[in-house]
Amino acid sequence: MQSFDRINPFEARELIRRGDWVKPTSGLAGGYTQANLAVLPKELAFEFLLFCQRNPKPCPVLDVTEPGSAIPAIVAPHADLRVDIPKYRVYRHGELVEERTDIKDLWDDSMVGFLLGCSFTFEHALLNNDISVRHIEQDCNVPMFKTNMECIKAGRFEGPMVVSMRPIPEKDVVRAVQVTSRFPSVHGAPVHIGNPESIGIRDIANPDFGDPVEVRDGEVPVFWACGVTPQAVAMHVKPEIMITHAPGHMFITDVRDEKFGVL
Amino acid sequence: MQSFDRINPFEARELIRRGDWVKPTSGLAGGYTQANLAVLPKELAFEFLLFCQRNPKPCPVLDVTEPGSAIPAIVAPHADLRVDIPKYRVYRHGELVEERTDIKDLWDDSMVGFLLGCSFTFEHALLNNDISVRHIEQDCNVPMFKTNMECIKAGRFEGPMVVSMRPIPEKDVVRAVQVTSRFPSVHGAPVHIGNPESIGIRDIANPDFGDPVEVRDGEVPVFWACGVTPQAVAMHVKPEIMITHAPGHMFITDVRDEKFGVL
């Protein structure tokens, strides 16, 4: 069996482009940064970029294409955002209308593609420090919650921050902060440690998105800003068209995770 | 004599707004972050923001106003970018046409104000670590040089990176890297250490902007990305109108320098 975590990003995108990998990308091309995708019409691009700029923890921008171009020239200059993601979601006026494996015929001169950092990078850093990640252990999706923390508005874009939660053993909480602080361009340090109610989460066992995970005795729930935030906020604006990756089906960049460490 | 380094940002901007401070802002409201200003018409705003996004070392964005608004809502929600800077420069089609102390009558609904981090913040951090800064010792402007390092293009915005140089004693070079790495939103870590020719600088004694400073035996020239870069690049696009602060006459934010430390 081929070890898919060892292949390089070019090979991984080839597999995806040929239709030979239509499933979540976790573990594919290990050590290379994966990214969230949001495609919006040009007339919304400045406001959305400004929203990301003002809310860098939930919306860490890795690359933005020139209007009309599907090439993420900084993080993967040989890639094509129209075909290099295993599964896309198409929203019209804020409603999910379709899932598909390429978006060639939907792309036109007005499209701007945004690639935003995802949590895989800092989870990798946690694992490298022997800090276990519960939803990976349980082989399920990370639990995500809407909070009472409002993002900073930009034009039409506004809404609450969505966070993901990972239970961390008390003895590892300080290290978890240090380790993830190194990576501000992929969500960075936690936004909250401890009491879920302080940030407006009523029931830690009932996430708004993803799957619930167990919080054991001696563990503290730790919350990171989540890449679902910009999608949720953009949906609220009900753009004529918006395209995203399907959850877990990420874009694989040419950049190694470690390159995003600020120190 | 009043100690102007102890006054708060609100008081400092009041002084400036009243016309009682028409000189460089170095040392004013000590410990609070000062910023570079660039005002551009809305139709260039997306491309310029994208340029900054792609080149965060020379162009660290601290705040961007909503189009038409002169209020930097994030870093100084009670300020007014039209009157709170001691001296402005007005460029038309890339040519400096005027210096003035307010820009009230030039501001219209199409204007977008960009505040970008400046080197004062990391110089403060160097001084706090007993690393002396030569141009402050010599009471002159920092020497700045055009390099052969091209910025990443965005739309019409392109050009070489401009760097500032500070001679650092060999024994302090590692610490200077560590200390300034903490502040990625105000230029952050150096972009080059040592041989000027490697980055296209022929004569370290003849800066392209600012004043020359002495590099003594046992000192290494260390180069940081410089906030002159985005202005130089924008000038090259020859926008119908562009307004900046006059050199050294910065905008004073409500945010303490330490708040920009990533750890």
Side-chain angles (χ1 to χ4, degrees), chain A residues 134-143 211-213:
Chain A
R134 183 63 34 80
H135 67 274
I136 296 178
E137 277 172 28
Q138 297 191 358
D139 196 20
C140 64
N141 207 338
V142 68
D211 302 312
V213 299

Side-chain angles (χ1 to χ4, degrees), chain B residues 16 21-28 34 86-87 120 246-250:
Chain B
I16 291 166
W21 186 285
V22 190
K23 53 184 175 179
T25 49
S26 173
L28 187 57
Q34 300 199 12
K87 206 191 284 175
F120 290 176
H249 298 66
M250 317 302 283

Side-chain angles (χ1 to χ4, degrees), chain A residues 50 53-54 61 64 66 155, chain B residues 50 53-54 61 64 66 74 155:
Chain A
L50 198 51
Q53 167 64 40
R54 289 182 180 170
V61 179
V64 182
E66 294 288 316
Chain B
L50 197 51
Q53 167 65 37
R54 289 183 179 167
V61 178
V64 182
E66 294 289 317
I74 295 173

Side-chain angles (χ1 to χ4, degrees), chain A residues 42 45-47 49-50 53-54 61-67 73-74 112 114 152-156 177-178 181-182 184 262-263, chain B residues 42 45-47 49-50 53-54 61-67 73-74 112 114 152-156 177-178 181-182 184 262-263:
Chain A
K42 190 167 59 180
F46 174 65
E47 283 177 30
L49 184 56
L50 198 51
Q53 167 64 40
R54 289 182 180 170
V61 179
L62 299 183
D63 203 349
V64 182
T65 67
E66 294 288 316
I74 296 173
V112 179
F114 293 81
I152 302 173
K153 190 175 186 296
R156 286 160 280 184
V177 171
Q178 291 173 328
S181 295
R182 289 187 61 228
V262 285
L263 250 187
Chain B
K42 191 167 59 179
F46 174 65
E47 282 176 32
L49 184 54
L50 197 51
Q53 167 65 37
R54 289 183 179 167
V61 178
L62 299 182
D63 204 348
V64 182
T65 68
E66 294 289 317
I74 295 173
V112 180
F114 292 82
I152 301 173
K153 190 177 186 292
R156 285 161 280 184
V177 171
Q178 291 173 326
S181 295
R182 289 188 60 227
V262 284
L263 249 188

Side-chain angles (χ1 to χ4, degrees), chain B residues 214-247:
Chain B
E214 191 189 354
V215 182
R216 297 179 190 148
D217 278 356
E219 289 180 343
V220 181
V222 179
F223 301 89
W224 278 266
C226 175
V228 165
T229 311
Q231 288 187 9
V233 160
M235 233 73 96
H236 192 74
V237 174
K238 303 191 196 311
E240 197 186 315
I241 185 165
M242 174 174 174
I243 305 168
T244 71
H245 65 286

Side-chain angles (χ1 to χ4, degrees), chain A residues 37-231:
Chain A
L37 174 74
V39 180
L40 281 167
K42 190 167 59 180
E43 64 107 4
L44 286 170
F46 174 65
E47 283 177 30
F48 187 66
L49 184 56
L50 198 51
F51 182 83
C52 294
Q53 167 64 40
R54 289 182 180 170
N55 299 281
K57 288 200 148 198
C59 316
V61 179
L62 299 183
D63 203 349
V64 182
T65 67
E66 294 288 316
S69 165
I71 300 166
I74 296 173
V75 299
H78 302 294
D80 182 338
L81 292 182
R82 300 170 304 171
V83 291
D84 287 350
I85 283 181
K87 205 191 284 176
Y88 298 84
R89 284 188 166 180
V90 182
Y91 296 83
R92 291 191 188 270
H93 306 289
E95 300 283 328
L96 175 64
V97 294
E98 201 183 352
E99 283 198 343
R100 36 155 85 208
T101 56
D102 81 70
I103 51 167
K104 266 183 154 164
D105 54 315
L106 294 176
W107 197 278
D108 66 36
D109 275 1
S110 80
M111 296 296 194
V112 179
F114 293 81
L115 290 173
L116 306 174
C118 103
S119 55
F120 290 176
T121 305
F122 76 73
E123 288 177 350
H124 198 238
L126 291 170
L127 294 172
N128 281 344
N129 280 270
D130 290 330
I131 301 174
S132 178
V133 177
R134 183 63 34 80
H135 67 274
I136 296 178
E137 277 172 28
Q138 297 191 358
D139 196 20
C140 64
N141 207 338
V142 68
M144 291 166 273
F145 302 87
K146 287 185 198 164
T147 69
N148 60 11
M149 295 183 281
E150 276 297 310
C151 293
I152 302 173
K153 190 175 186 296
R156 286 160 280 184
F157 293 90
E158 62 184 316
M161 192 189 296
V162 178
V163 295
S164 59
M165 188 278 289
R166 291 160 191 78
I168 305 286
E170 278 174 1
K171 69 173 178 47
D172 293 328
V173 171
V174 169
R175 187 65 186 151
V177 171
Q178 291 173 328
V179 161
T180 58
S181 295
R182 289 187 61 228
F183 296 99
S185 48
V186 288
H187 302 307
V191 292
H192 182 65
I193 295 171
N195 187 7
E197 285 179 26
S198 314
I199 55 171
I201 299 172
R202 294 238 187 104
D203 184 358
I204 198 79
N206 270 309
D208 295 304
F209 313 98
D211 302 312
V213 299
E214 192 189 354
V215 183
R216 297 180 191 148
D217 277 356
E219 289 181 341
V220 180
V222 180
F223 301 89
W224 278 266
C226 175
V228 165
T229 311
Q231 289 188 7

Side-chain angles (χ1 to χ4, degrees), chain B residues 1 7 11 25 30-31 56 67 95 102 104 108 119 136 155 178 193:
Chain B
M1 188 190 132
I7 67 177
E11 293 163 336
T25 49
E95 299 284 328
D102 81 70
K104 266 184 155 164
D108 66 35
S119 56
I136 297 179
Q178 291 173 326
I193 295 170

